[in-house]
Amino acid sequence: RDSPEGPLSEINFDGRVTTKGYLRGEVEAELYFGDGTWSLKSRLDYTDLAYRFWGLGPDSPETAEEVYRPRRTLAYVELFRQVGPRTRLGLRYELEHVHYLQVEEGGLLDTLPYPGLEGRVAMGLGFTASWDSRDDRFYPHSGIYAQGFAMWFDDEWGSRYDFNQYNLDLRLYQELLLEHVLAVQGFLYSARGGAPVWRYASLGGRAHSRGYRRDRYLDRTLLAFQGEYRIPLFWRLEGVVFGGLADVAPRVGKVKLETMRPTLGGGLRARIGKGHRIRARLDVAAGQGSVRLYLDLGEAF
């Protein structure tokens, strides 16, 4: 931190290499300057891994599964200014390039004209805002966090795809008993216009839809809800039980209750680091017909 009164800055590194030589590397930073009036958040992500694709829509069948290998580079920068005790406003610049190295011959990606298979660049500008009354950024016991952004991708500033993207993340934290915390999240993502398929909303493999493989369901819009009950156990260990619902659809008005995908699970947290503010997270989550294991740093939300 630049001053004792300023918020704590963070820099995170993540990476992995598979036995087949595929790899992923990610650097993410959130930096606060001076007393925290100005801050910058940035991320650089390079991915060369194999993924699975089941087609589009909330009813894509398990039998449609195929394997493909994209090479993806993503970078974004957000510059914020504190405009009130709890409010930040900012600008966001984003660049992403995805090139499909391998697809299954005769599969969906090989035979259907999905937008975005040409290996072009998406470049966008937008606005972002957040409101934060949490008592702690890393492990809140009470408060509300709301964050959203709107992005416009246009050929006037170098994008090869013209589309809009919207994101809204709402979180509520309430301490019910001493150190017993109820956390609730609602999440909405939507891509409109000529968005490439790799910009579609994804259900699975993410913090808001644990219990499903990454990208198990894809469409233009994702709506997700989840709740966690966080319980102290002993020493530095804590327990968590959680559940949620999520669905993808062409647009928000097409989300159907009967196709909402449930998630149930539980996990352990171990407090580590200075002041025990960081948690190592182990979760087991069950979705419809699948069980997934997650090991990570920090809370899911």
Side-chain angles (χ1 to χ4, degrees):
R1 66 180 71 182
D2 285 355
S3 69
E5 296 79 20
L8 190 66
S9 296
E10 296 178 75
I11 300 178
N12 297 309
F13 303 88
D14 185 22
R16 59 172 165 156
V17 179
T18 73
T19 56
K20 295 183 178 181
Y22 302 161
L23 59 91
R24 179 187 180 187
E26 176 185 315
V27 181
E28 189 170 23
E30 188 166 6
L31 307 177
Y32 292 84
F33 305 103
D35 60 358
T37 300
W38 289 93
S39 61
L40 183 144
K41 185 175 181 180
S42 63
R43 177 182 171 190
L44 177 62
D45 189 347
Y46 175 83
T47 304
D48 181 359
L49 296 172
Y51 293 101
R52 290 171 170 82
F53 182 73
W54 289 265
L56 301 182
D59 300 313
S60 56
E62 193 73 32
T63 55
E65 179 183 348
E66 60 188 63
V67 177
Y68 71 103
R69 181 184 168 199
R71 178 176 292 160
R72 172 178 177 260
T73 303
L74 168 69
Y76 73 74
V77 176
E78 295 176 331
L79 179 64
F80 291 96
R81 191 184 193 283
Q82 195 85 21
V83 296
R86 305 187 188 281
T87 305
R88 293 195 302 166
L89 299 178
L91 298 174
R92 178 181 174 106
Y93 170 81
E94 190 167 333
L95 182 147
E96 185 170 15
H97 177 266
V98 177
H99 174 57
Y100 286 72
L101 300 176
Q102 298 174 6
V103 298
E104 288 192 11
E105 185 176 354
L108 296 173
L109 291 171
D110 186 39
T111 58
L112 295 180
Y114 294 121
L117 305 185
E118 308 87 356
R120 298 174 179 173
V121 172
M123 189 180 301
L125 296 170
F127 300 98
T128 180
S130 66
W131 192 86
D132 192 352
S133 66
R134 296 173 296 178
D135 59 342
D136 188 274
R137 283 170 51 210
F138 298 97
Y139 186 68
H141 286 66
S142 64
I144 296 173
Y145 175 76
Q147 189 266 344
F149 63 80
M151 297 285 298
W152 292 269
F153 294 78
D154 195 291
D155 57 10
E156 291 187 1
W157 44 73
S159 180
R160 299 300 299 273
Y161 302 97
D162 291 308
F163 66 99
N164 304 331
Q165 174 184 317
Y166 308 98
N167 191 95
L168 181 63
D169 186 353
L170 301 175
R171 308 178 188 184
L172 169 66
Y173 304 90
Q174 181 63 53
E175 188 172 43
L176 303 180
L177 300 171
L178 183 62
E179 297 295 324
H180 288 234
V181 177
L182 175 65
V184 180
Q185 181 189 36
F187 182 85
L188 172 66
Y189 171 93
S190 185
R192 307 296 299 274
V197 68
W198 35 269
R199 275 284 176 162
Y200 281 21
S202 167
L203 191 162
R206 296 172 183 261
H208 49 65
S209 47
R210 288 167 284 181
Y212 299 88
R213 279 189 178 274
R214 176 190 171 98
D215 299 339
R216 175 59 187 89
Y217 298 98
L218 288 173
D219 214 319
R220 289 180 176 271
T221 298
L222 169 71
L223 182 63
F225 303 95
Q226 66 174 333
E228 284 195 353
Y229 190 61
R230 301 167 181 173
I231 311 160
L233 297 176
F234 58 90
W235 189 54
R236 298 184 181 181
L237 294 181
E238 299 163 351
V240 170
V241 292
F242 57 85
L245 293 170
D247 191 24
V248 294
R251 58 182 184 273
V252 176
K254 290 290 186 179
V255 175
K256 299 178 181 178
L257 181 61
E258 56 266 29
T259 58
M260 295 287 279
R261 305 287 172 176
T263 293
L264 290 173
L268 291 174
R269 306 289 184 267
R271 300 192 300 270
I272 58 177
K274 185 178 180 180
H276 304 160
R277 300 176 72 183
I278 306 298
R279 266 65 173 171
R281 172 165 62 96
L282 173 65
D283 285 337
V284 178
Q288 285 184 333
S290 66
V291 176
R292 310 294 296 171
L293 179 69
Y294 303 89
L295 181 62
D296 208 342
L297 288 176
E299 295 290 354
F301 65 96

